[in-house]
């Protein structure tokens, strides 16, 4: 099957999913289709790693799945994503989302530390 045919099939399936999501029907069917698309995009080791990530951080795994599906639908992927490629993608995402660390000191005052005792 040619890439253009595969892309057309994926686009048609995406439109079907969006239509069924708009009407509120087929959430199980959407999840099954999602898993099917991920099976086409990821090799077995990468799928296993992503499922382990979803046990710990479900929202992060879902975001990575969404990104992979979009990349597959736009033709940015040239074959199945391996586990090492998935790890590289996760590292890139972690670099982008790394929060800035701030250290803040706050001194607590106790009654015996009061400046009033020293007439200051």
């Amino acid at each position: 099957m040619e890439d253009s045919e595969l892309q057309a099939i994926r686009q048609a399936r995406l439109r079907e999913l969006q239509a069924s999501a708009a009407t509120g029907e087929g959430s199980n069917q959407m999840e099954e289709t999602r898993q099917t698309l991920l099976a086409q995009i990821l090799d077995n080791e990468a799928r296993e790693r992503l499922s382990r990530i979803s046990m710990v951080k479900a929202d992060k795994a879902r975001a990575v799945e969404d990104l992979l599906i979009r990349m597959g639908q736009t033709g940015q992927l040239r074959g199945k994503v391996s586990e090492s490629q998935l790890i590289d993608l996760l590292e890139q995402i972690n670099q982008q989302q790394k929060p800035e660390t701030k250290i803040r000191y706050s001194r607590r005052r106790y009654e015996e530390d009061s400046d009033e005792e020293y007439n200051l």
Side-chain angles (χ1 to χ4, degrees), residues 102-108:
K102 292 184 180 181
I103 299 173
R104 189 177 288 184
Y105 294 101
S106 62
R107 181 175 172 209
R108 293 186 181 168

Side-chain angles (χ1 to χ4, degrees), residues 41-120:
I41 294 171
L42 300 169
D43 68 2
N44 289 335
E45 291 84 16
R47 275 192 299 151
E48 288 174 16
R49 180 172 290 269
L50 196 54
S51 68
R52 287 192 304 266
I53 291 170
S54 69
M55 287 183 217
V56 178
K57 294 188 175 185
D59 55 339
K60 185 170 195 164
R62 187 72 172 196
V64 170
E65 290 173 356
D66 291 341
L67 177 64
L68 287 168
I69 290 172
R70 277 192 308 257
M71 289 173 70
Q73 289 171 341
T74 59
Q76 294 176 346
L77 300 176
R78 300 280 180 216
K80 288 195 172 200
V81 175
S82 68
E83 184 177 14
S84 62
Q85 291 171 324
L86 179 64
I87 291 170
D88 291 341
L89 180 65
L90 289 167
E91 287 175 356
Q92 289 175 1
I93 291 171
N94 284 338
Q95 289 292 329
Q96 292 173 356
Q97 295 178 348
K98 190 178 252 185
E100 185 178 318
T101 303
K102 292 184 180 181
I103 299 173
R104 189 177 288 184
Y105 294 101
S106 62
R107 181 175 172 209
R108 293 186 181 168
R109 295 185 175 250
Y110 297 101
E111 288 182 33
E112 63 242 20
D113 287 344
S114 174
D115 290 340
E116 293 173 8
E117 292 178 12
Y118 302 108
N119 294 324
L120 298 176

